[in-house]
Amino acid sequence: MAKSWRLNERMYGALTGKSKQMIANEYGEAQLKKWRRGFKIKPPKVSSYSLSYPGNNYKRTKYVKDLRISLSETINRSIEAKEFQVHRKFPKAESLWDCMQRSIPFYTQRIVPEAVNKGKRVLITSHENAIRGILMHLCEIPEEAINQLSLPNGLPLVYNVKRKCITLLDDGSGKDPMETHDFGPAAQYLFRPCELDDDFFEEMANQEASASKEAVAT
């Protein structure tokens, strides 16, 4: 098992903890849509002394070692504490693009070489925006469509690395999951037809051979 802050949810800055209605009342519906739909538009930054700032969370600061050190935060916090304290440059607000700058490298530099390339099955549990970014990378979803993709909570998505496609698990209910769940207008990019690779044709050949043997036996 590998844990990383790089799979954390997008940092919503000063909007953290506020409902959509509260944000709309404070900033207006138009601005709310820009923050939600804009691929590279960040919300207002949170103060480094806010409880919502990740750098004030001991569970994160204790284990995160792969972030640049913040000189200004280190100086200010050390003066305040009257002892030297190293503080790292945690994000104070993120767009979806910013979130992808940490989640995609974790996938390509850790998950792929350590598991995928070794033929291992991988389970990634994360938050919606981190998963959305990885899916954008894997499924080549265009920038203008990514924020039209909805991901139902707790629904496993199975990605076939060789055939470059996503399928859904059969939950045994007999219902079509595509009719049960709403993936939004961008679902067409997520559920493209699987590519036909050598393994597919080999499997088909094996099935035909087995069927022929059964026919001869009967």
Side-chain angles (χ1 to χ4, degrees), residues 22 79 90 142 178 188:
M22 291 172 63
I79 293 175
F90 284 92
M178 292 297 292
Q188 57 178 315

Side-chain angles (χ1 to χ4, degrees), residues 1-2 106-124 161:
M1 180 186 296
F106 183 75
Y107 176 79
T108 58
Q109 297 171 18
R110 286 286 308 278
I111 296 177
V112 171
E114 295 181 15
V116 175
N117 290 345
K118 296 180 180 179
K120 297 180 180 180
R121 290 186 177 181
V122 181
L123 173 64
I124 301 176
V161 177

Side-chain angles (χ1 to χ4, degrees), residues 128-176:
E128 183 176 4
N129 280 292
I131 293 294
R132 182 185 280 117
I134 293 175
L135 289 174
M136 182 179 181
H137 169 74
L138 294 175
C139 302
E140 300 179 351
I141 302 175
E143 178 181 324
E144 62 272 13
I146 188 60
N147 281 312
Q148 297 177 7
L149 177 66
S150 298
L151 299 178
N153 290 332
L155 181 68
L157 302 176
V158 183
Y159 181 74
N160 189 311
V161 177
K162 292 183 178 180
R163 300 186 64 189
K164 298 181 180 180
C165 63
I166 286 179
T167 56
L168 300 176
L169 296 175
D170 184 358
D171 61 3
S173 65
K175 299 179 180 179
D176 183 351

Side-chain angles (χ1 to χ4, degrees), residues 53 55-56 58 60-62 64-65 67-79 81 83-90:
Y53 177 56
N56 293 327
Y58 176 71
R60 295 188 183 183
T61 58
K62 180 180 179 181
V64 173
K65 305 298 181 184
L67 269 178
R68 291 188 297 116
I69 293 175
S70 171
L71 182 59
S72 59
E73 289 292 333
T74 296
I75 294 175
N76 292 337
R77 300 295 179 103
S78 296
I79 293 175
E83 64 177 8
F84 182 69
Q85 295 183 351
V86 175
H87 281 264
R88 299 187 180 275
K89 200 174 184 64
F90 284 92

